[in-house]
Amino acid sequence: QSALTQPAAVSGSPGQSITISCTGTSSDIDVYDYVSWYQQQPGKPPQLLIYDVSHRPSGVSNRFSGSKSGNTASLTISALQAEDEADYYCSSYTTTSTVVFGGGTKVTVL
Amino acid sequence: EVQLVESGGGLVQPGRSLRLSCITSGFIFGDYGLSWVRQAPGKGLEWVGFIRSKTYGGTTGYAASLDGRFILSRDDSKNIAYLQMNSLRTEDTAVYYCVRDRIPTIIEPVTFEYWGQGTLVTVSS
């Protein structure tokens, strides 16, 4: 199972919105709504941001939103803040009963 | 408070074995499936495997890339999950995270809500 495809880096200025894409295949994102997004700060474990494509866990800012179209999922961060600078990973359940992650996207706040 | 604490990491020679433990608290351990996710230094996340709750027979699933070298198990009486790693290779060097799914009734690993702090495994001669 190949990793999901994410851009290596995305940047934006404070207050702007950015979108991170996550492209999969007909074996994962295209067939399941089990897409999650995680934020990882340096030296820390990942933190769940979005699950089931577009749902936010309690405590996660509503500046984070998720969506999906076909085999591509997206994470949008609105009103970008300095604290959003981190690595972001998508994941999806697959038709082989496994989980595949994206390669990760480094978000830089300019 | 849900807590997952990994232990057992360290330096090990190629070809040897190592067993990691994930000690949990703050939730009904037997109701949940648990996954392991690893992260090589400076690299991305890689799902390792999943062990279902006893409701689903405690059955397991693994990433194909592991070539059958890793084995997951659980002891519901102690609230501990284990990752037995055999025939270790240098490419297995990573931080290994124990993660719990979001809801107890799920039969497959879909949403990793709680993560441990991770334990570093270094495979080197």
Side-chain angles (χ1 to χ4, degrees):
Chain A
Q1 187 75 38
S2 299
L4 305 175
T5 301
Q6 297 181 233
V10 172
S11 62
S13 300
Q16 286 187 331
S17 291
I18 61 170
T19 296
I20 302 169
S21 61
C22 172
T23 302
T25 69
S26 57
S27 297
D28 39 66
I29 294 177
D30 199 29
V31 293
Y32 294 109
D33 285 338
Y34 293 134
V35 177
S36 299
W37 288 90
Y38 303 88
Q39 178 193 64
Q40 186 177 31
Q41 301 285 0
K44 294 189 175 182
Q47 175 189 350
L48 178 65
L49 284 180
I50 297 288
Y51 66 93
D52 295 355
V53 175
S54 60
H55 294 82
R56 278 186 310 274
S58 174
V60 171
S61 170
N62 59 10
R63 297 186 299 104
F64 296 94
S65 62
S67 63
K68 188 187 89 165
S69 177
N71 67 350
T72 299
S74 299
L75 173 72
T76 297
I77 309 175
S78 58
L80 197 63
Q81 300 178 0
E83 66 199 46
D84 299 331
E85 195 160 283
D87 294 326
Y88 292 81
Y89 295 91
C90 59
S91 74
S92 175
Y93 181 67
T94 80
T95 55
T96 55
S97 300
T98 60
V99 174
V100 62
F101 283 96
T105 298
K106 182 177 182 60
V107 168
T108 300
V109 181
L110 302 172
Chain B
E1 179 190 6
V2 173
Q3 290 192 328
L4 304 101
V5 179
E6 304 90 342
S7 63
L11 176 63
V12 61
Q13 293 179 327
R16 304 297 292 266
S17 297
L18 199 64
R19 189 178 79 162
L20 305 183
S21 300
C22 174
I23 302 171
T24 74
S25 61
F27 64 99
I28 302 174
F29 181 80
D31 286 351
Y32 287 83
L34 293 168
S35 281
W36 289 83
V37 174
R38 69 182 181 181
Q39 186 170 34
K43 301 297 184 182
L45 302 174
E46 180 185 16
W47 180 77
V48 170
F50 175 71
I51 183 164
R52 297 175 181 84
S53 68
K54 284 295 191 285
T55 299
Y56 299 113
T59 52
T60 54
Y62 302 94
S65 62
L66 298 177
D67 298 327
R69 297 179 296 120
F70 290 10
I71 301 171
L72 296 180
S73 61
R74 60 189 297 156
D75 185 336
D76 286 12
S77 68
K78 297 181 179 178
N79 296 344
I80 301 177
Y82 301 100
L83 173 59
Q84 176 70 39
M85 303 184 294
N86 302 318
S87 302
L88 282 163
R89 306 167 180 169
T90 55
E91 55 264 37
D92 295 319
T93 294
V95 173
Y96 285 75
Y97 294 103
C98 174
V99 295
R100 198 208 80 177
D101 217 287
R102 191 178 65 86
I103 56 177
T105 55
I106 200 75
I107 191 173
E108 301 293 350
V110 294
T111 304
F112 305 136
E113 183 173 28
Y114 292 98
W115 296 65
Q117 289 299 310
T119 187
L120 176 62
V121 173
T122 302
V123 184
S124 175
S125 55

